[in-house]
Amino acid sequence: MTALQPEIDAPARPMPAVTAAVLFVDAESLPVSIEAVRNQAYGMMAITVLGSDEAITPLATEAGADHFADFQGFLAGIGSDVDYIWLVHGDSRPRPDAVGALIEEAERNEASMVGSKILDAAEPDRLESVGAATDVFGEPYSGLDPGEVDLEQYDVVRDVAFLSAVSVLVRRDLLRGLGGIDLALAPSAAGLDLSQRARIAGGRVMVVPSSEVLHLRHCRENLEGWREQAGRMRAMLKAYSWVTLFWAIPLGAIVGLFDGMARLLLGSPRALMDYVRAAGWNLARLPSTLATRASLRPIRVARDVELFRYQVGGSVRLRTLFTGLAERFGWIIDEEPGVVTEEEMEADSSPFEAITVAAVLAAVLIAARQLWVGSPPANGFSLPTAADASSVLATFAGGWNPTELGSPESLHPAPGLVAAVQTALGGFSGTQGLLTLASLVLGVVGLGRLLKHLGLTGVGRYAAGIVLLLGPFAGRLAGYWPGWVALGFVPWMLDSVLSPWPGTWRLRAGRVGRIVLTTAPVAALAPSGPLVAVAAAITGWAVVGRPGSWRGVAGALGAVVAGMAVISAYLLGVAPAVLADPGIGVSVWPAPVAVALALVALATTSVTASGRRGPVVRWGGLMLAVGVSAGAVPQIGGEYAVAAVLAATLGSATVVGAALSVDLSANRAAIAAQTLGATASIVLLVMGLSHLPGGSAGFPDDLWSDRLDFVAGLDADAGPDRVLLVGPPEELPGATRVSSGHGYRLVLGPIPTLDQAWLPTPRVGDEALAQALAVIERRAEPRPGGILAEFAIRWVVVLGDVPISESLRAQLDLAERPVEPGMTIYENLAARPRAEPDQGGAWVAARTVATGPTGGGRVRLADNADPGWQPDGRAAGWANNLSAGEGLVSFRPDPARRAAATAAGLIVLLSIPLTWWGRERS
Amino acid sequence: MIGRWLVPLLVVAMIATAWVMTTSPAERDLGLAPDPSARTYRGCAGWVGRGLEGSIAVAAAVRGPVRVTTVAGGADRVSVMADIDEAGGALVPLANLEAAGAIGAVAEFPTANAEAALITAGAPGTTVVGCTVPGTTTLIAGGGSTLAEETLDLVIANPYAVDSVVSVQSASEVGTDSASELASVIVPARSTVLRELAPLLPLRQSLSVRLEVQAGAVHGSLIQRVAGDIASTEAVSPATEWFFPVVEGEGVGRRRIVISSNSSIATEVAIDAYGPEGLIERVLEIQVPPMSQIEMGVADLGDGVVGARITATNPVVASLVLVGEQRRGLAPMTAGLSTDWWVPGSGSLAVTTMWILNPTDLEAEVVVQPLAPNSPARPVVIPPESRQAVQVVGPGAGHLIKSSVEVSVMWTAQGEAGIALGTGIATAPHL
């Protein structure tokens, strides 16, 4: 503390000498500002106008003020008899006692830089600034609402991260060492820059609310928004040490780009453009920034931690983004800090937490980038959605399910959810990626919030998000997109269920709405997922106590009811056994080492943890055990297995979150045990982070995005072609039927879509197809194409070495087409269309309707026979035979399921205002 | 404090129990490979035209339609529907062929219990090529010759919808032969490929070719032309046991045995002869070099030999070649024995003689049934370990031979234009 330690007033000079520097903004307001400065009760030694505009000289001369074009000349001319320099914007009107209050508080608090309370000159009772905090990236957080009235509610002299540059009083020697204000910066950024440089030079930066300055805000006119952002970047580059910059720059970039892209998806493209322009601006000025930074080296006496002390945790940009989003639903992402006092800032002075949240978010976003940038890799149950969202919605709402040879059976609600969101977003093709992105962000934030509400503190609750979304148990859902995405929503559902039951009816109504809103996506993505809430409530009741009271179990049952209501259109049209259908191939067991690591973390933490950590880690352990045990029951498969994995994954993440919060106040043996648990948890984290290079979160490689493009290219103009895929079940998209040890399935169109992933219960036509394939495989028919033509199969795609390959080597009407390496593709030379009229012109069969010329005759529709097909539907073998007179055949939807789907939509929509109305207001 | 330990112990117990409960995934059922005997069609490769009229002879267990399709140049050339008559036979003429040349043919039956053969007859001579089950990956045809004044053509037919790739290797009296032009032959779907072997492998007295099918499915045959006669043989799958009755014919001077191996190691071959004194075991023991062939005369087996059994340590193809003045016949021997045989086209040809070897020590009661309606069957008795020649005439798609014991059947058709040698086709007993 030697270089520029502010000089303490000499006892012989009781009144510090002040000179004012008015920063030129515009010619119109300059005379008024000079007059206001001159009228200060505390006398000025001199008034100087700073600026390079040609209009300044005559105005300054007329007002009796000096004029300098830049700070260098001005500071050089300041003598040692001056103690303070008051920097005032040329578009401001300081109240007469403004500088006097500044000097008084600066002297009393031994501050080197003090700033005024800034009020809107147009509405003097409106606050513009009373000093502010920032996040680690320099983003200001004042806590003021726009247009907030000044009721002197913030009139506390306090240390702040930065001051508005509209009115600041700086010790003369400090300002000389700093070189003045960076005039290249926008006004707010200039204040931040000066404040940060003052602090690393050892100065104390305080706001003095009793010093009031009215601000005309002319300096902000014609100011492009990105300039402030660019200025903040430059301030950060100048102030932070290289060590801090090493992580702050990439993190800031990630946050900025994420924020920009998120707002872009929300229809506000400017944020992303602003970020890019700000980054470009800084890149162009990097030499001057580095030069300024170098000039600060001799006076740097404070470390970066001194800056961190006055910063808020987290990212203000992300907080603003999520708060804005969540407020629409009445949720609270985290506690709002309000105007940050010194004590609050010091209490919340955890840049490490901010870094952790940002790093975890960055990690999961990077490790799963292939899933949310566009569509997920098409493989297994990770398939793109159909382009025709309305058709998928109609199918979900009791319509014809065209999967395989068609069925009136329900469509899985996951594609229904995607289609509903896609429709709400105006057909946005990136809906699936958006849902994935939402799941990732909500998963990290939601787990941190859930564990906090359960009583866990520290950054481990956020780091555990990696285990939740990328860990070994989550990996069991890699490839099953709906279940994996449900992971991000499960913590929110549990938080809704496990939070203490509110005391008022309004809050209770809001809670009900919240339970519906948070359970709906879980139920849609994993129909048995709400059962996780029941398991969580019961185990929580048993070991956590406070949040897991009996009301939690009731809330969980309410969540199950809500979930069933939301997917009632699905449940009404599907056999209960389908929920346990193992066709989706999810199993709960990860690598044994992952189980062992989780058990080590559980045991060591459970035995040694104090406070709430103990119950929380035990609750997590029980969830893990319940999930693993349920998943091991042979009769439990399909959707129940998915729910089991959800429970086990959440349990493992909870264990890790608790184990990472090592209690350093414990005795040495406990710390050693906790360190072992934390180490095991870190290994689990690292296992999750192993997905960073690949970027697919462990999902298998894309197999189907474009492999069937030839189908579209060679389309027969009679609607989407039916493709028969044959191969090992693990290589086929979605669920498969099995024949002679290999899998097969039909795909309608050039790409297997998510709505075709789940197979309905086999019907007569499906049985006929199975028999036909068996005949072809076993007897090697000479004309298999003719047999398959009955099912409107135009293409046969064979993967790997399966028995049918041998049969198709020597046959007469499936011509091999060398279209795609790695697959054997046959075109059926005897193909027949899906909708085949007995007379007249060709028909076109879409997913759920077929159209053709009007007139007489009948049309054969190669879908499973069902009386719902009209008009005049009859069964022709296993297929439909319909009247072609109207030129249109369609399926009459199930009215009960259509009503259920409509009711479900209304329930979700009504729960939004209910949640808003009944939210907890702080 | 108890809870601190209790819950982790409970969790460990639950997970351990779950681990024990979890059953290992079942072995995947790899399914059953296609059953060749269940196929309802056969394919063949041959040559028609220039005075050779072609027809497909069919024998089937049931009445019904048979469709015969010939292909060439990437398309169907002829597709003919015919009915199998009440006797179980059909002779489908391949008329209206626009051009002569190599053809591939497929015969589709209403049942798997059916066989077919491609018969050509005309001024140049008579040939019969058995149609074979498709999908075989290794086929061998032996007994060809590329001496002066002789031509030998290899016909590879792919009558199916999938392109084929075939590697052709050859062997002769000089050992393993090779011609780079034959290393990888692409046979497009519904096409045939003809390779003249005389320019590629000239002056081989005994030449056999091996087709290794690398993709798709093909049928192959050798077409041998000598002065005054034409002969052909289909390429067949190797086996470890072969039988043949010694056949005789007018103008036939020599009878040669050719044994071709596709094994990568040397193959030990033993020949048991059936002579006037019955079975003489291991009358000859020889070794076939890897991927090569050996040749010997029937006379080398001893005087009065009427048949022989060839056993090999690795699969081989044994062929019989008849050589005479303006006479040439070649055909594979019979791969094993059977009680039921079909001799295709025998009734439609000139004088046909069936040569039946009874290698057992039991008397064979044989019935020769013409495949023509209202044609009476003809009983024959063949003593143990002996051969019988049975001459047949008349119309129809051939003859069925049903024996009380397992026998081996070959046949010859003698005419003005030469001699044809053929192999009986073992059939299902209820054909």
Side-chain angles (χ1 to χ4, degrees), chain B residues 339-341 365-368 400-404 427-431:
Chain B
T339 57
D340 295 79
W341 294 89
E365 296 175 2
V366 176
V367 175
V368 179
L400 287 179
I401 296 173
K402 295 181 179 296
S403 169
S404 59
T427 67
H430 46 283
L431 185 70

Side-chain angles (χ1 to χ4, degrees), chain A residues 418-689:
Chain A
V418 179
V421 176
Q422 188 172 355
T423 303
L425 296 178
F428 176 53
S429 61
T431 299
Q432 210 173 355
L434 191 64
L435 279 172
T436 308
L437 184 63
S439 168
L440 292 168
V441 176
L442 290 175
V444 173
V445 175
L447 183 65
R449 174 188 167 92
L450 170 67
L451 297 183
K452 183 176 183 179
H453 287 171
L454 290 176
L456 206 61
T457 58
V459 297
R461 61 196 168 97
Y462 289 110
I466 292 174
V467 175
L468 176 73
L469 298 164
L470 305 174
F473 285 93
R476 305 307 300 165
L477 291 171
Y480 187 70
W481 180 84
W484 188 81
V485 171
L487 281 171
F489 296 97
V490 166
W492 293 88
M493 176 181 71
L494 298 189
D495 191 49
S496 300
V497 168
L498 298 180
S499 293
W501 188 244
T504 68
W505 285 108
R506 184 181 60 77
L507 292 177
R508 288 171 184 167
R511 175 62 59 81
V512 170
R514 211 172 114 195
I515 288 175
V516 172
L517 272 185
T518 55
T519 305
V522 175
L525 294 163
S528 298
L531 295 176
V532 177
V534 177
I538 294 174
T539 52
W541 186 12
V543 296
V544 179
R546 178 175 55 111
S549 67
W550 66 270
R551 289 189 181 88
V553 179
L557 293 174
V560 172
V561 172
M564 290 176 68
V566 169
I567 60 170
S568 54
Y570 169 67
L571 297 175
L572 284 173
V574 72
V578 170
L579 288 174
D581 178 13
I584 59 178
V586 170
S587 70
V588 75
W589 284 106
V593 66
V595 179
L597 289 167
L599 290 178
V600 168
L602 165 67
T604 54
T605 310
S606 174
V607 172
T608 61
S610 58
R612 303 293 301 171
R613 282 179 64 219
V616 169
V617 78
R618 287 190 276 279
W619 175 73
L622 280 176
M623 287 296 289
L624 171 64
V626 167
V628 169
S629 300
V633 177
Q635 289 77 15
I636 291 183
E639 296 294 349
Y640 297 112
V642 173
V645 179
L646 291 177
T649 306
L650 185 98
S652 65
T654 302
V655 168
V656 167
L660 286 175
S661 304
V662 176
D663 180 9
L664 296 176
S665 64
N667 61 48
R668 181 175 297 178
I671 289 178
Q674 291 183 41
T675 303
L676 178 61
T679 304
S681 299
I682 289 170
V683 175
L684 286 170
L685 288 180
V686 171
M687 290 170 79
L689 293 174

Side-chain angles (χ1 to χ4, degrees), chain A residues 86-102:
Chain A
W86 186 27
L87 303 174
V88 188
H89 267 208
D91 59 346
S92 64
R93 294 177 194 165
R95 295 195 191 278
D97 60 346
V99 74
L102 290 174

Side-chain angles (χ1 to χ4, degrees), chain A residues 69-109:
Chain A
D70 54 37
F71 261 98
Q72 282 66 38
F74 166 65
L75 293 174
I78 300 291
S80 59
D81 53 337
V82 172
D83 297 301
Y84 291 99
I85 297 170
W86 186 27
L87 303 174
V88 188
H89 267 208
D91 59 346
S92 64
R93 294 177 194 165
R95 295 195 191 278
D97 60 346
V99 74
L102 290 174
I103 290 171
E104 182 182 347
E105 293 298 339
E107 291 289 301
R108 183 162 61 195
N109 294 291

